[in-house]
Amino acid sequence: MTESRNRVGSRLEPDEMRRHMATRWLGADLRCLETVGSTNTVARELANAGAPHGTVVIADAQTNGRGRLGRSWVSPAGKNLYLSAILRADLPVESVPLITLLAGVAVVDTVAEWHAAAIKWPNDVLIDGRKLGGILAETEGQGAERVVVLGIGLNLNAAFDDLPAELHNKATSLFIAIGRPVERARVAGRLLSHLERRYDDLAARGFAPLAEAWRARCGMIGRQVRIAEPDGVVAGEALGLDAGGALRVRLDSGAERRVVAGDVTVLDGYGSP
Ligand code: BT5
């Protein structure tokens, strides 16, 4: 199907997605739903009921899409991608934060077919400094029972009218960036392919190759940043990642600091990598 014949606004069909997927295990069980509260919640419930590693939930719309720290994710119907994957991680527990970084790389590589994008640590994907997508990795359970639910929201065919006014100066979509609709099934299928490849590579070769790929797709290394942490503000130069995926920042005092969570503002503009 050509992009001009793309049925913008219709529910994603697993069979259409599979034409664009080259995966072995991710999305082998693929559930495309209409309206849900949050795909992460649906995926958690499925995981608790025993759904296997690699199960993927996609919804056409979310009424209660979640960001981090209780924030909401605007999820208009039929336009975008709202996806959650169940990962019964055979990765060590310290690798779990790396799943967010891995997803950022996979998203940037997926959308590169349409437009260049860049990662903003820890969980944003931006085009021209505006948020195209966000990642929410949540864990549940312990030991062999541990499950990671990897949620990804990506604005594909949303126009500004589909987004609330307060997002107009900080959000974008592929449609807004390139001026024509994209085939959602293709984006979704390609994304699962990139995710599986990066996941298998992380399991086989460890963090170093992923860290290198991440750095090449991150627009903020070497830039001045301000990070709102849960207990204060850190300002300095973003240096890169440490072995656990934390952001290394050189403070104005010259000291180096590891930041594990927070909201980053890039102070000196933001470009593509
Ligand atoms: C995120 O949180 O960026 C993670 C978003 C994850 C959404 C996916 S959709 C599938 C899965 N199911 C879910 O329920 N969630 C995941 P955070 O970094 O906290 O950013 C949230 C902030 O982004 C909001 O406070 C808004 O400012 C902004 N925002 C909300 N909706 C947006 C949208 N559609 N596009 C761009 N920015 C948005």
Side-chain angles (χ1 to χ4, degrees):
M1 185 185 293
T2 63
E3 292 196 341
S4 58
R5 286 170 53 218
N6 176 34
R7 292 178 295 145
V8 175
S10 61
R11 190 167 63 115
L12 279 173
E13 294 295 340
D15 286 350
E16 261 176 68
M17 274 183 62
R18 286 192 202 287
R19 292 176 32 228
H20 305 287
M21 275 162 66
T23 63
R24 287 182 303 113
W25 53 267
L26 186 58
D29 183 346
L30 177 59
R31 305 182 185 205
C32 293
L33 310 174
E34 279 177 2
T35 302
V36 302
S38 155
T39 55
N40 267 32
T41 304
V42 174
R44 269 174 113 130
E45 288 166 1
L46 287 171
N48 288 336
H53 179 63
T55 301
V56 170
V57 177
I58 291 179
D60 201 44
Q62 296 185 121
T63 54
N64 196 19
R66 294 203 300 273
R68 294 174 302 155
L69 306 169
R71 296 178 192 135
S72 61
W73 186 255
V74 174
S75 308
K79 304 268 174 159
N80 296 333
L81 182 62
Y82 317 113
L83 175 154
S84 298
I86 295 173
L87 303 172
R88 292 192 178 275
D90 43 359
L91 299 169
V93 70
E94 61 275 14
S95 299
V96 171
L98 308 184
I99 299 288
T100 298
L101 304 175
L102 176 159
V105 170
V107 169
V108 168
D109 287 352
T110 301
V111 303
E113 197 175 320
W114 292 271
H115 199 287
I119 301 169
K120 189 177 91 169
W121 185 91
N123 69 321
D124 289 350
V125 175
L126 309 183
I127 286 182
D128 298 332
R130 290 161 180 261
K131 190 153 167 170
L132 177 78
I135 296 153
L136 180 68
E138 299 178 308
T139 46
E140 195 156 290
Q142 304 281 327
E145 300 298 304
R146 184 162 38 83
V147 174
V148 178
V149 172
L150 170 62
I152 301 177
L154 258 185
N155 297 331
L156 300 182
N157 289 327
F160 279 124
D161 281 354
D162 299 308
L163 301 171
E166 67 266 22
L167 289 182
H168 286 184
N169 64 356
K170 54 182 185 179
T172 191
S173 70
L174 276 182
F175 173 74
I176 291 167
I178 67 176
R180 60 187 162 83
V182 300
E183 190 186 343
R184 290 187 304 147
R186 180 177 178 89
V187 180
R190 300 303 304 144
L191 177 58
L192 291 182
S193 304
H194 282 291
L195 284 169
E196 183 180 289
R197 188 168 64 82
R198 292 284 174 190
Y199 186 95
D200 286 347
D201 194 59
L202 178 63
R205 296 200 295 151
F207 182 43
L210 173 63
E212 202 178 308
W214 185 91
R215 191 181 176 95
R217 290 158 184 75
C218 174
M220 58 189 260
I221 303 305
R223 292 174 182 261
Q224 293 297 313
V225 296
R226 191 176 57 226
I227 303 167
E229 289 188 288
D231 54 357
V233 173
V234 174
E237 181 190 342
L239 297 175
L241 298 174
D242 79 357
L247 186 68
R248 293 167 43 233
V249 177
R250 184 181 294 118
L251 306 179
D252 297 338
S253 66
E256 202 179 301
R257 173 87 181 263
R258 283 174 68 247
V259 183
V260 293
D263 283 310
V264 177
T265 306
V266 181
L267 299 179
D268 55 351
Y270 198 88
S272 296

